[in-house]
């Protein structure tokens, strides 16, 4: 059964209003509600657990500091957080000027996201392949796939976070999947 997003959204609006009034406990509830999703998004982009945790904390500190300027515009609060997370990742990459790693398995933390009944070894192997493919994709392709399939955002929510139209997000997703399939074939993974 799908959760009632309107109720969840209204709850966020109430918490945001209280947090804006100086209630840190309300912001704490928002943190508890969204921290794991933001962490997963960041962790899919960088290979180090501790760095991902630090960047997640930074995202929430930036959100707290910007809360006074936050205006509800018909999108969930999570879109605001994802936008801060994406900007923080870009800032990190610019600062470090490093290559995006193509090895390692940061997706081990996402085992719950795998809906397959395969054993742990197969999932770890799949995660390794997924990590390699994701990091061979252009940034916009990688980001749209992470938002859509790991964080389960709708195209409308992704459009808001990325500052693009919903149609542009759908085109990006289509192109990203096409390139990802091609990369999978190149490394010998058969498409079922």
């Amino acid at each position: 059964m799908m959760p009632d997003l309107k109720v969840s959204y209204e709850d966020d609006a109430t918490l945001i209003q209280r947090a804006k009034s100086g209630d840190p406990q309300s912001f704490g509830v928002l943190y508890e509600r969204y921290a794991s999703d933001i962490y997963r998004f960041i962790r899919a982009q960088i290979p180090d657990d501790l760095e991902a945790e630090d960047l997640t904390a930074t995202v929430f500190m930036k959100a707290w500091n910007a809360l006074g300027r936050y205006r509800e515009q018909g999108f969930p609060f999570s879109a605001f957080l994802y936008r801060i997370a994406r900007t923080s990742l870009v800032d990190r990459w610019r600062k470090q000027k490093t290559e995006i790693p193509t090895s390692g398995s940061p997706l081990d933390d996402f085992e719950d996201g795998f809906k397959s009944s395969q054993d742990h070894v197969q999932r770890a192997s799949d995660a390794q392949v997924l990590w390699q493919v994701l990091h061979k994709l252009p940034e916009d392709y990688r980001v749209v796939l992470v938002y859509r399939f790991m964080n389960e955002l709708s195209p409308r929510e992704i459009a808001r976070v990325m500052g693009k139209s919903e149609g542009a997000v759908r085109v990006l997703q289509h192109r990203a999947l096409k390139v990802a399939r091609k990369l999978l074939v190149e490394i010998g993974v058969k498409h079922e």
Side-chain angles (χ1 to χ4, degrees):
M1 184 166 112
M2 291 292 294
D4 185 353
L5 296 177
K6 185 164 178 58
V7 169
S8 174
Y9 180 74
E10 288 173 355
D11 288 346
D12 282 359
T14 301
L15 291 167
I16 291 163
Q17 195 56 42
R18 286 186 197 146
K20 281 182 169 185
S21 298
D23 178 10
Q25 291 175 336
S26 292
F27 190 79
V29 172
L30 292 166
Y31 174 86
E32 291 296 323
R33 188 173 288 172
Y34 296 110
S36 63
D37 291 340
I38 298 301
Y39 171 80
R40 273 195 314 272
F41 171 71
I42 292 170
R43 186 64 173 91
Q45 308 291 323
I46 58 176
D48 182 76
D49 286 329
L50 292 176
E51 191 173 355
E53 289 173 9
D54 288 347
L55 197 53
T56 300
T58 299
V59 166
F60 280 91
M61 287 301 299
K62 287 180 178 180
W64 173 255
N65 291 332
L67 201 56
R69 295 184 308 273
Y70 173 78
R71 301 287 176 258
E72 187 279 316
Q73 298 176 351
F75 295 97
F77 183 66
S78 61
F80 173 67
L81 295 172
Y82 281 116
R83 187 166 205 135
I84 294 171
R86 182 165 189 239
T87 303
S88 297
L89 281 165
V90 169
D91 290 346
R92 175 197 170 269
W93 290 325
R94 284 183 184 146
K95 233 184 256 184
Q96 292 187 343
K97 295 182 183 178
T98 59
E99 292 284 319
I100 295 171
T102 57
S103 63
S105 184
L107 300 180
D108 288 342
D109 294 335
F110 302 135
E111 288 179 15
D112 293 339
F114 291 95
K115 294 179 174 108
S116 147
S117 62
Q118 298 174 343
D119 65 355
H120 177 74
V121 173
Q122 184 61 47
R123 283 194 309 255
S125 175
D126 291 348
Q128 176 72 26
V129 169
L130 181 57
W131 172 251
Q132 290 174 353
V133 168
L134 276 175
H135 289 281
K136 288 182 181 179
L137 294 172
E139 180 187 354
D140 276 353
Y141 287 6
R142 180 178 58 252
V143 168
V144 80
L145 291 180
V146 168
Y147 281 146
R148 185 74 175 116
F149 298 108
M150 290 182 182
N151 293 98
E152 298 178 352
L153 295 182
S154 70
R156 182 174 185 227
E157 292 169 322
I158 297 168
R160 171 71 173 127
V161 172
M162 293 182 77
K164 298 183 181 297
S165 72
E166 192 173 334
V169 166
R170 290 181 191 278
V171 169
L172 265 176
Q173 179 183 323
H174 174 76
R175 290 177 180 167
L177 288 171
K178 187 175 178 179
V179 172
R181 282 187 197 103
K182 183 179 176 188
L183 289 169
L184 286 168
V185 169
E186 286 175 8
I187 62 175
V189 176
K190 294 185 181 177
H191 179 65
E192 296 177 17

